[in-house]
Amino acid sequence: MSQQTDGNEELMRLARRAGIYLGIFLAGGLITFVYSYSPLHKAKNWKIEYLEERLEAKQVELQTAGQELASVTADNEDKPDTETFKLLQNELVTVDKTVKELERKLVKAERRMKELETSRNNWKAKTAKAESMRDALAASRVPTPAAAAAPPASPAPGAADSSPGERVMLGKRWQRGDGLASFELTAVEGSVVRVIADPDRLTPGSTPDVISVGVGESFEVGMATGNATQIAVKRVESGSAIWIEVAP
């Protein structure tokens, strides 16, 4: 009996010791769990909050980038592409060159117009001077003694019809049928006449050459065209006209 009692007591002591050890182990595990749960939980919450903040920042950046992309796209819709832009630049350069060339031509044309106007004024002045000299010569013309003693005989009736050639009045112009030869009768002084050959071919500003021809003498017109015509003065009519004969 005593041995059995001792065995039971030994088992009871072992059971109590095992229970104590198990309780200590469980208490330690519980303490460890409680001690580590709070930091881990806080660390987890911090990481979650950090990731949420980063996600929100990324979403804001994504929205900003989307807005900028939309703005750039809208701006580029109205802009030409590179090839079209180059074509427009080339056309602009061509137009600019054309405008400059037209401006240069306009300047030259204006300069030429001024030169022509100056030449015209000079020609008018010289013509007026020549006419005044002609009028002065005509006014100061004094008849020769022979003319005073024997005035020119009036043509008999029907003589005009028998006069040779063509009649040209003082201050008038004779012109060949083709218009390439002409002369202007500027003065009749006794038996001497003064003419300007081919006045239509005088350049602006040039001084006309006055040709003096006596009755029975000849002069040429149309020499500049290479087809000259010889004009013979046949008769002077009362100081106001002449009769000419055109060589065939």
Side-chain angles (χ1 to χ4, degrees):
M1 282 294 291
S2 60
Q3 290 181 353
Q4 186 176 2
T5 300
D6 294 335
N8 289 333
E9 291 178 356
E10 185 66 23
L11 289 174
M12 289 294 292
R13 285 196 300 270
L14 291 175
R16 283 195 298 272
R17 186 177 296 175
I20 292 170
Y21 289 156
L22 180 61
I24 293 170
F25 176 76
L26 292 175
L30 181 61
I31 292 170
T32 302
F33 174 75
V34 172
Y35 177 78
S36 61
Y37 174 78
S38 179
L40 291 175
H41 184 68
K42 290 181 180 179
K44 180 180 179 182
N45 291 339
W46 177 84
K47 188 172 183 180
I48 291 174
E49 292 176 357
Y50 173 75
L51 293 177
E52 288 178 349
E53 291 178 357
R54 293 289 298 170
L55 181 59
E56 290 178 357
K58 290 295 183 182
Q59 288 179 349
V60 172
E61 291 180 1
L62 182 60
Q63 290 178 355
T64 303
Q67 293 175 357
E68 292 178 353
L69 178 61
S71 177
V72 172
T73 303
D75 292 340
N76 289 333
E77 285 181 355
D78 297 333
K79 295 180 180 179
D81 54 14
T82 304
E83 185 176 356
T84 305
F85 183 71
K86 290 182 179 179
L87 291 176
L88 291 175
Q89 281 186 324
N90 294 335
E91 291 180 1
L92 181 61
V93 171
T94 303
V95 171
D96 185 59
K97 290 181 179 178
T98 304
V99 170
K100 290 182 179 179
E101 183 64 24
L102 291 176
E103 289 178 350
R104 286 194 293 268
K105 290 183 179 180
L106 180 60
V107 171
K108 290 181 179 179
E110 291 178 350
R111 188 184 302 115
R112 181 58 179 167
M113 287 179 63
K114 291 180 179 179
E115 292 176 354
L116 291 175
E117 186 175 358
T118 302
S119 298
R120 184 188 64 181
N121 294 335
N122 293 337
W123 172 248
K124 285 183 176 180
K126 291 180 180 180
T127 302
K129 184 177 180 181
E131 289 178 352
S132 62
M133 291 176 62
R134 182 191 65 186
D135 295 339
L137 289 173
S140 63
R141 186 170 61 243
V142 179
T144 60
S154 299
D161 296 335
S162 61
S163 298
E166 304 178 31
R167 186 183 185 215
V168 182
M169 297 295 296
L170 179 65
K172 300 298 182 180
R173 184 175 300 182
W174 175 89
Q175 190 173 36
R176 198 170 64 189
D178 57 6
L180 299 179
S182 62
F183 72 88
E184 183 177 346
L185 179 61
T186 60
V188 178
E189 301 174 358
S191 61
V192 177
V193 300
R194 302 185 190 279
V195 299
I196 298 176
D198 300 309
D200 294 334
R201 297 190 174 274
L202 294 175
T203 58
S206 61
T207 303
D209 294 331
V210 180
I211 302 174
S212 298
V213 185
V215 176
E217 296 178 348
S218 302
F219 62 93
E220 290 185 344
V221 294
M223 291 182 291
T225 63
N227 184 14
T229 298
Q230 189 172 17
I231 307 294
V233 180
K234 291 298 183 180
R235 187 166 66 87
V236 175
E237 183 179 307
S238 302
S240 60
I242 63 173
W243 288 87
I244 62 171
E245 186 176 56
V246 182

